[in-house]
Amino acid sequence: MSSNVSERQAREVAEAARESEWGLPSFGKELFLGNFRLDLIHPQPSSDPGAVQKGERFLAQLREFLESDVDPLEIERDARIPDRVIEGLKRLGALGMKVSEEYGGLGLSQVYYNRALALAGVWHGSLSALLSAHQSIGVAEPLRLFGTEEQRRKWLPLVARDHISAFLLTESDVGSDPARMASTATPVQGGYELTGQKLWATNGAIADVVVVMAQVPKGDGHRGGISAFVLPYDSDGVSVEHRNQFMGLRGIENSVTRLDHVFVPEENRIGREGEGLKIALTTLNTGRLALPAICVGMAKWATKVGREWSTERVQWGRPIGKHDAVAQKLAFIGASAFGLEAMLDVASRLADSKSGDIRIEAAIAKLYGSEMGWKVLDELIQIRGGRGYETAASLKARGEKPVPAEQALRDMRINRIFEGSTEIMHLLIAREAVDQHLQVAGDLLEPGGEVKDRIAAAGRAGAFYSKWLPQLAVGKGQLPRSYDELGALAPYMRFAERGSRRLARSIFYGMTRWQAKLEYRQAFLGRLVDIGAELFAMAAAAAYADTIGREQPERRAEAQELAELFCRQAKRRVEALFGELWDNEDDANRAAAARLLDGRYRWLEDGIVDPSGTGPMIPDEVKQSAAGEVKESAAGEAARAGALG
Ligand SMILES: Cc1cc2nc3c(=O)[nH]c(=O)nc-3n(C[C@H](O)[C@H](O)[C@H](O)COP(=O)(O)OP(=O)(O)OC[C@H]3O[C@@H](n4cnc5c(N)ncnc54)[C@H](O)[C@@H]3O)c2cc1C
């Protein structure tokens, strides 16, 4: 498949990877349908006291270890995590945070796993990257969800204790579009032979055991397709060809790994042939919470540094925090930290209590956390002025507190790219948001198709829309006293309820206007998703403030204030996004981009000298697209599978 991937094939691969069932209620799904089900996330489930005790104990140990044994400046300077630190993490059991006790892990809840990642990530981003690549996408999670009991008994104790794992999906020509995968798993006696080259595997330079995705060719007794394998890294034919270096996360051990006729026994295949992407995607439904957890940690840290610095630093006769421009930024940083934490806590408690389908909420948390986290750190740098741009080591050498703001920004940047870039997350979430519509009217939206299918679809659509559309006209958000039990937050919940219905109407207008071509309207879809994200965040902020009030009554008023502040800011963003849905420059921009790509404005590039030199952006030997062929993965459907590595 890899050498000639059409848009349709890419789309089919992605669609097949999608989890199509909705077994549990989903706040996110309902939100996009105009059904603001606050009751699905509020009141939040209480945490199990045993889990809290265990989690707090571990956090205390981790904190002590970080403060006493790990020097973040050393990691930054040497661009690696020292062996003694990795050994220390192993001793603490940090490699097995998510693995249940039954298999030798700590069995932390999602809430405490998040907190541990945030703690480690704030100390140095490379630590949380190591831990989360190892257990959110590495061997443990896919085996926990899809492995056989035998596989779990064999591998989970190892990865929980001291075997570092990695996840090998990406290739030079396979980023957001796994249908292009060139690595193969050829069936041989007793198993498969893996061949290919994998790019950017976090932990891949020091791993002991990895998950590899490779294409099994269709053949006798083999349904084929992208499949997942557990591969011991000391197998013959595995070689690490390069350790990659990045803008940030300087300490990660990220590899180019060659697989040269590597034998992997059949019992190491996870799930069935062809289920590789589905396994990866389902794993990420919850696994994706790790990344926003790290963003939450950074936003909380930015709040602390912003407060301390803006109080101490005096310019023009006042602490800078008293100058309006800086105060505005501080309010944004603090509110965002609260909103992000609320979103994460809501999704994570749902994950722990298994009371909701959180695939949309976790995806939103990833998208929103990485985007807002980036803005928060950018504002922190601005507040810190020249010191924001200076390295921690340089600050220290001059005798100042080594605040690693510039490093935090560099480390944070990748979060908008990996585990599903922002663009891909927009499409993935948009696909889930229109799922109900596709189920009832998909055959109508697609051009062509059988007449009888279209007639049946018209019947289904008529029945659904004649009931659904009228429901979008009125709702609780129009009742002046609704949500009054939430006090000052009530107006914002009324706004969010109305917003949810308006969002659903906008999706419907978009579908009727562009029909199947809606998937190419990525800017429009992106705004719809961003509106949904803000509305979810507002609801989460209200739910979380209430939880804090219950669990820590002395903080009730402060939590309400922060939630209200966050909702004020989010409401403004929602209003702007709604405005831009129908009043924008999308068409002009798209046309201009086409002209730019055609080279019409090449003269604009005169007068510079390009330090990148010459040579191919992607080596010819791995490049698979041929001129004149439409190779791009269409939006929506295809992009979903790109949200993996
Ligand atoms: C530090 C680091 C660590 C990583 N760790 C791992 C790992 O452990 N395991 C692993 O397998 N991979 C890993 N990756 C790979 C990572 O997941 C990919 O970089 C990511 O999936 C994006 O792929 P790409 O870089 O090839 O970008 P491309 O897919 O080439 O995308 C380029 C740009 O085009 C946009 N784009 C692509 N397709 C579409 C579309 N259909 N519609 C709209 N926009 C689109 C993207 O959003 C992006 O802006 C890592 C990467 C880095 C840099």
Side-chain angles (χ1 to χ4, degrees), residues 214-227:
Q215 289 271 10
V216 177
K218 244 193 202 129
D220 251 6
H222 292 275
R223 63 201 289 263
I226 297 174
S227 310

PDB file of all heavy atoms in Angstrom, residues 214-227:
ATOM      1  N   ALA A 214       3.771  -2.074  11.958  1.00  0.00           N
ATOM      2  CA  ALA A 214       4.269  -2.424  10.625  1.00  0.00           C
ATOM      3  C   ALA A 214       3.144  -3.052   9.811  1.00  0.00           C
ATOM      4  O   ALA A 214       2.187  -3.598  10.365  1.00  0.00           O
ATOM      5  CB  ALA A 214       5.449  -3.387  10.749  1.00  0.00           C
ATOM      6  N   GLN A 215       3.305  -2.950   8.497  1.00  0.00           N
ATOM      7  CA  GLN A 215       2.289  -3.475   7.572  1.00  0.00           C
ATOM      8  C   GLN A 215       2.495  -4.973   7.340  1.00  0.00           C
ATOM      9  O   GLN A 215       3.570  -5.371   6.888  1.00  0.00           O
ATOM     10  CB  GLN A 215       2.452  -2.841   6.180  1.00  0.00           C
ATOM     11  CG  GLN A 215       2.079  -1.395   6.080  1.00  0.00           C
ATOM     12  CD  GLN A 215       0.594  -1.224   5.742  1.00  0.00           C
ATOM     13  OE1 GLN A 215      -0.180  -2.188   5.765  1.00  0.00           O
ATOM     14  NE2 GLN A 215       0.219  -0.003   5.451  1.00  0.00           N
ATOM     15  N   VAL A 216       1.470  -5.749   7.606  1.00  0.00           N
ATOM     16  CA  VAL A 216       1.523  -7.166   7.227  1.00  0.00           C
ATOM     17  C   VAL A 216       0.896  -7.262   5.832  1.00  0.00           C
ATOM     18  O   VAL A 216      -0.239  -6.810   5.634  1.00  0.00           O
ATOM     19  CB  VAL A 216       0.726  -8.036   8.227  1.00  0.00           C
ATOM     20  CG1 VAL A 216       0.733  -9.497   7.780  1.00  0.00           C
ATOM     21  CG2 VAL A 216       1.293  -7.904   9.631  1.00  0.00           C
ATOM     22  N   PRO A 217       1.624  -7.819   4.866  1.00  0.00           N
ATOM     23  CA  PRO A 217       1.025  -7.945   3.540  1.00  0.00           C
ATOM     24  C   PRO A 217      -0.130  -8.947   3.571  1.00  0.00           C
ATOM     25  O   PRO A 217      -0.078  -9.936   4.317  1.00  0.00           O
ATOM     26  CB  PRO A 217       2.157  -8.466   2.653  1.00  0.00           C
ATOM     27  CG  PRO A 217       3.344  -8.633   3.530  1.00  0.00           C
ATOM     28  CD  PRO A 217       2.988  -8.338   4.944  1.00  0.00           C
ATOM     29  N   LYS A 218      -1.139  -8.665   2.779  1.00  0.00           N
ATOM     30  CA  LYS A 218      -2.264  -9.609   2.679  1.00  0.00           C
ATOM     31  C   LYS A 218      -1.776 -10.894   2.019  1.00  0.00           C
ATOM     32  O   LYS A 218      -0.988 -10.838   1.093  1.00  0.00           O
ATOM     33  CB  LYS A 218      -3.342  -8.987   1.773  1.00  0.00           C
ATOM     34  CG  LYS A 218      -4.626  -8.711   2.510  1.00  0.00           C
ATOM     35  CD  LYS A 218      -5.738  -8.414   1.536  1.00  0.00           C
ATOM     36  CE  LYS A 218      -6.792  -7.633   2.291  1.00  0.00           C
ATOM     37  NZ  LYS A 218      -7.215  -6.436   1.662  1.00  0.00           N
ATOM     38  N   GLY A 219      -2.226 -12.019   2.491  1.00  0.00           N
ATOM     39  CA  GLY A 219      -1.798 -13.255   1.840  1.00  0.00           C
ATOM     40  C   GLY A 219      -2.569 -14.420   2.393  1.00  0.00           C
ATOM     41  O   GLY A 219      -3.508 -14.229   3.172  1.00  0.00           O
ATOM     42  N   ASP A 220      -2.131 -15.616   2.030  1.00  0.00           N
ATOM     43  CA  ASP A 220      -2.788 -16.834   2.483  1.00  0.00           C
ATOM     44  C   ASP A 220      -2.901 -16.875   3.995  1.00  0.00           C
ATOM     45  O   ASP A 220      -1.889 -16.900   4.698  1.00  0.00           O
ATOM     46  CB  ASP A 220      -1.934 -18.037   2.027  1.00  0.00           C
ATOM     47  CG  ASP A 220      -2.652 -18.784   0.926  1.00  0.00           C
ATOM     48  OD1 ASP A 220      -3.705 -18.279   0.485  1.00  0.00           O
ATOM     49  OD2 ASP A 220      -2.141 -19.860   0.535  1.00  0.00           O
ATOM     50  N   GLY A 221      -4.130 -16.874   4.512  1.00  0.00           N
ATOM     51  CA  GLY A 221      -4.322 -16.950   5.964  1.00  0.00           C
ATOM     52  C   GLY A 221      -3.951 -15.675   6.694  1.00  0.00           C
ATOM     53  O   GLY A 221      -3.884 -15.663   7.917  1.00  0.00           O
ATOM     54  N   HIS A 222      -3.667 -14.616   5.959  1.00  0.00           N
ATOM     55  CA  HIS A 222      -3.300 -13.350   6.601  1.00  0.00           C
ATOM     56  C   HIS A 222      -4.178 -12.231   6.084  1.00  0.00           C
ATOM     57  O   HIS A 222      -4.139 -11.916   4.895  1.00  0.00           O
ATOM     58  CB  HIS A 222      -1.827 -13.022   6.353  1.00  0.00           C
ATOM     59  CG  HIS A 222      -0.900 -13.966   7.047  1.00  0.00           C
ATOM     60  ND1 HIS A 222      -0.519 -13.798   8.353  1.00  0.00           N
ATOM     61  CD2 HIS A 222      -0.317 -15.121   6.622  1.00  0.00           C
ATOM     62  CE1 HIS A 222       0.272 -14.797   8.715  1.00  0.00           C
ATOM     63  NE2 HIS A 222       0.409 -15.620   7.683  1.00  0.00           N
ATOM     64  N   ARG A 223      -4.954 -11.638   7.015  1.00  0.00           N
ATOM     65  CA  ARG A 223      -5.801 -10.534   6.560  1.00  0.00           C
ATOM     66  C   ARG A 223      -4.977  -9.280   6.298  1.00  0.00           C
ATOM     67  O   ARG A 223      -5.386  -8.375   5.583  1.00  0.00           O
ATOM     68  CB  ARG A 223      -6.933 -10.274   7.567  1.00  0.00           C
ATOM     69  CG  ARG A 223      -6.476  -9.835   8.937  1.00  0.00           C
ATOM     70  CD  ARG A 223      -7.546 -10.091   9.990  1.00  0.00           C
ATOM     71  NE  ARG A 223      -8.669  -9.188   9.855  1.00  0.00           N
ATOM     72  CZ  ARG A 223      -8.814  -8.068  10.567  1.00  0.00           C
ATOM     73  NH1 ARG A 223      -7.896  -7.708  11.431  1.00  0.00           N
ATOM     74  NH2 ARG A 223      -9.872  -7.312  10.401  1.00  0.00           N
ATOM     75  N   GLY A 224      -3.771  -9.228   6.891  1.00  0.00           N
ATOM     76  CA  GLY A 224      -2.858  -8.130   6.606  1.00  0.00           C
ATOM     77  C   GLY A 224      -3.285  -6.811   7.235  1.00  0.00           C
ATOM     78  O   GLY A 224      -4.261  -6.731   7.970  1.00  0.00           O
ATOM     79  N   GLY A 225      -2.516  -5.779   6.941  1.00  0.00           N
ATOM     80  CA  GLY A 225      -2.793  -4.448   7.467  1.00  0.00           C
ATOM     81  C   GLY A 225      -1.818  -4.056   8.559  1.00  0.00           C
ATOM     82  O   GLY A 225      -0.993  -4.876   8.999  1.00  0.00           O
ATOM     83  N   ILE A 226      -1.919  -2.814   8.975  1.00  0.00           N
ATOM     84  CA  ILE A 226      -0.990  -2.309   9.984  1.00  0.00           C
ATOM     85  C   ILE A 226      -1.249  -3.029  11.311  1.00  0.00           C
ATOM     86  O   ILE A 226      -2.382  -3.072  11.790  1.00  0.00           O
ATOM     87  CB  ILE A 226      -1.138  -0.781  10.155  1.00  0.00           C
ATOM     88  CG1 ILE A 226      -0.772  -0.076   8.844  1.00  0.00           C
ATOM     89  CG2 ILE A 226      -0.263  -0.271  11.298  1.00  0.00           C
ATOM     90  CD1 ILE A 226      -1.006   1.413   8.838  1.00  0.00           C
ATOM     91  N   SER A 227      -0.184  -3.599  11.848  1.00  0.00           N
ATOM     92  CA  SER A 227      -0.327  -4.432  13.040  1.00  0.00           C
ATOM     93  C   SER A 227       0.688  -3.994  14.091  1.00  0.00           C
ATOM     94  O   SER A 227       1.708  -3.380  13.768  1.00  0.00           O
ATOM     95  CB  SER A 227      -0.109  -5.908  12.688  1.00  0.00           C
ATOM     96  OG  SER A 227      -0.913  -6.247  11.573  1.00  0.00           O
TER      97      SER A 227
END
